Amino acid sequence: MGDSHKRFLQTMMSNGIISASQAIALHRHCCETHGAHYVADRLDEFINIINAQLQSLFMQIRKGMSEEDGLEYYALVNVTETDITRMASDYADNELELFRKTMDLIVDSESGSASSTDILNCADSLLTKKLKKKETELVLNKFVQDKWLNEKDGEYTLSVRCIVEMEQYMRTIYQDLIKVCHVCHNIALQVKT
């Protein structure tokens, strides 16, 4: 793996997820900065070289599409853990339980979203340790800042990072509840039926 690949990976590690347009610009910048041959339409091949090296670390850069804006994103994911336990080092038990309940609400909804009111109400029934309203709002803000959830006008949706990283977990846990795009075969929660 060359210096241009290493620089690309470092940026992915610090950001976790970047848009396809950012990835294209980063690919060009890394190649030009480190004197590597740059070919505009070879981003996926460039990433495949990085992924070959990441395989032994059980990491991978994966591509996914955002239901919010229809754009493609690239996310650095851990491929050994297949559920929410991957978040355990960053969140307390009751925060993880809130995240699970939020996922349940979103996946079970017609719109692929959950209102802040519904999430605040389910925070009262946490089995681990109940969260007060203000605490719940802070945790939800943290989920948004960490790019696990999106929020718009008090409605929460699963981010592209969440869907890409939690895809196997969601397919296992929610099975018949999740919808899958017939074209790209990705999970599609915000579809009109």
Side-chain angles (χ1 to χ4, degrees), residues 5-6 10 14 17 28 39 44 56 76 92 97 99 106 119-120 125 127 135 142 144-145 150 158 162 171 175 188 192:
H5 299 93
K6 289 176 185 173
Q10 287 170 343
S14 62
I17 186 166
R28 181 179 193 140
V39 181
D44 287 340
S56 63
L76 181 65
E97 186 182 358
F99 187 79
I106 291 170
I119 297 170
L120 290 170
S125 64
L127 300 175
E135 292 172 322
K142 188 176 177 186
V144 171
Q145 288 172 359
N150 295 323
L158 300 181
C162 179
R171 288 181 187 270
Q175 294 181 5
K192 305 282 189 264

Side-chain angles (χ1 to χ4, degrees), residues 127-193:
L127 300 175
T128 46
K129 179 185 174 193
K130 291 180 178 33
L131 289 166
K132 295 178 182 165
K133 180 181 176 186
K134 191 66 181 167
E135 292 172 322
T136 302
E137 290 171 348
L138 290 172
V139 172
L140 287 173
N141 286 338
K142 188 176 177 186
F143 290 148
V144 171
Q145 288 172 359
D146 293 345
K147 302 175 186 167
W148 291 108
L149 296 176
N150 295 323
E151 186 273 333
K152 184 177 180 183
D153 301 326
E155 291 289 317
Y156 289 85
T157 56
L158 300 181
S159 71
V160 64
R161 175 191 185 187
C162 179
I163 293 173
V164 168
E165 288 210 40
M166 302 288 183
E167 179 179 6
Q168 192 55 52
Y169 172 81
M170 292 172 68
R171 288 181 187 270
T172 302
I173 298 299
Y174 300 115
Q175 294 181 5
D176 298 331
L177 287 175
I178 60 168
K179 303 165 197 88
V180 176
C181 174
H182 298 295
V183 177
C184 66
H185 306 291
N186 290 330
I187 291 174
L189 299 174
Q190 298 177 50
V191 294
K192 305 282 189 264
T193 55

Side-chain angles (χ1 to χ4, degrees), residues 52-105:
Q53 298 298 313
L54 290 177
Q55 196 170 12
S56 63
L57 301 172
F58 305 104
M59 301 290 289
Q60 188 177 63
I61 297 172
R62 288 187 181 166
K63 187 168 30 175
M65 184 177 289
S66 168
E67 292 187 89
E68 298 293 317
D69 54 23
L71 299 177
E72 285 188 332
Y73 288 81
Y74 289 85
L76 181 65
V77 300
N78 181 333
V79 295
T80 57
E81 298 169 343
T82 57
D83 63 20
I84 293 173
T85 58
R86 79 177 72 236
M87 299 168 65
S89 61
D90 297 324
Y91 301 100
D93 288 346
N94 58 342
E95 294 172 337
L96 292 175
E97 186 182 358
L98 178 69
F99 187 79
R100 283 189 191 96
K101 287 183 176 287
T102 302
M103 281 185 79
D104 291 347
L105 288 170

